[in-house]
Amino acid sequence: MLTLENTLIRQGEFSLTADFSIQPGMRVAVIGPSGAGKSTLLNLLAGFLDPETGRVLNQGQDMTRAAPGERPLAMLFQDNNLFPHLTVAQNVGLGIRPDLRLDATQASRVEAALKRVGLEGYGPRKPAALSGGQQSRVALARVLVQDKPWVLLDEPFAALGPALKVEMLDLVAEVLDETGAGLLMVSHDPQDARRIAPHTVLVADGVAYAPTATRDLLDNPPPALRTYLG
Ligand code: ADP
Ligand code: MG
């Protein structure tokens, strides 16, 4: 279980509060207006930002001051965050060891992850030699090798176009079925939430609200969400 306990986070004039838990294996969409604090929420959980007050807990254990690498989550960034000078295999290997000194077992984990995302044999290539969809798969493979109980996606696959995006979301769902990991996914597309996340956290007006059933929320949106959905 991940818990945000009375957390308050500030960035300049902006502030965001959160006070809720999410259960292991839950798939949660994070939606709300641009600038509402969706990325801030993920960065707080991942340890890239510190709360001013409150605590972040994993299974009841305080991890408010834990470094990102010590937390039970793997994050996939919007731009995939691939290093152009490294090979595909090295980009994935970074998820295991930042210094890339992988032993044989670790190297075979990289190969297995590439195979799982449909990129068997692509290890020696450079990211520039891959399509956008394939680059997203590399980034997903790097999340997989980290073998964490939570996957965080910040507006993933938005650059891919609708058909490829749906393909990637379905691949993410399949992988989560296999690993049992939970998901927090920021999206500006309510259909993404309906497709992959039974629960949704609404971020609006300085608050990240406790997760509610995605269908109920989208079928019967509160005012803050109605304005945003248009
Ligand atoms: P979202 O992901 O929902 O679009 P963000 O979490 O990126 O929103 O940003 C939330 C708010 O925090 C924004 O209104 C933005 O202006 C502000 N913000 C983000 N980063 C900084 C920063 N480094 N310094 C000051 N304000 C920031
Ligand atoms: Mg954002």
Side-chain angles (χ1 to χ4, degrees):
M1 187 169 73
L2 284 180
T3 304
L4 292 167
E5 185 187 79
N6 289 314
T7 51
L8 165 70
I9 187 157
R10 275 188 215 280
Q11 299 188 99
E13 301 288 288
F14 173 80
S15 70
L16 182 75
T17 62
D19 186 36
F20 61 82
S21 294
I22 49 181
Q23 302 301 323
M26 264 175 90
R27 296 181 195 174
V28 181
V30 179
I31 65 175
S34 181
K38 304 181 296 295
S39 295
T40 302
L41 179 71
L42 259 56
N43 286 324
L44 170 65
L45 284 164
F48 298 116
L49 291 172
D50 289 331
E52 192 169 298
T53 59
R55 300 194 301 163
V56 183
L57 309 170
N58 174 43
Q59 308 282 42
Q61 300 282 326
D62 192 341
M63 63 168 185
T64 314
R65 304 291 158 206
E70 296 168 359
R71 299 188 182 212
L73 9 98
M75 188 144 164
L76 195 158
F77 296 90
Q78 184 166 10
D79 60 0
N80 292 328
N81 218 18
L82 300 182
F83 294 93
H85 62 288
L86 299 179
T87 66
V88 164
Q90 287 171 324
N91 268 285
V92 176
L94 288 175
I96 300 176
R97 279 192 68 147
D99 67 3
L100 287 173
R101 293 165 182 265
L102 304 189
D103 63 26
T105 311
Q106 291 166 327
S108 63
R109 270 170 60 204
V110 168
E111 279 307 311
L114 283 172
K115 186 175 178 192
R116 180 63 194 88
V117 300
L119 293 179
E120 193 172 17
Y122 282 70
R125 299 198 197 185
K126 293 282 173 65
L130 272 54
S131 69
Q134 290 170 331
Q135 291 178 16
S136 292
R137 287 168 187 267
V138 176
L140 182 58
R142 183 164 59 203
V143 165
L144 285 181
V145 293
Q146 294 175 57
D147 202 18
K148 302 273 186 159
W150 292 97
V151 173
L152 270 48
L153 306 178
D154 194 350
E155 303 206 34
F157 323 132
L160 291 183
L164 267 181
K165 183 179 76 170
V166 163
E167 198 178 301
M168 286 303 298
L169 289 178
D170 288 351
L171 177 59
V172 168
E174 276 174 37
V175 163
L176 295 175
D177 282 342
E178 291 162 16
T179 63
L183 174 73
L184 274 140
M185 178 183 72
V186 176
S187 177
H188 58 259
D189 184 349
Q191 296 313 322
D192 292 354
R194 284 193 199 268
R195 187 168 193 93
I196 195 174
H199 295 89
T200 294
V201 164
L202 172 63
V203 181
D205 304 323
V207 183
Y209 294 95
T212 54
T214 298
R215 196 177 302 159
D216 295 349
L217 188 74
L218 293 177
D219 289 348
N220 199 358
L225 182 58
R226 206 174 305 143
T227 312
Y228 162 62
L229 293 175

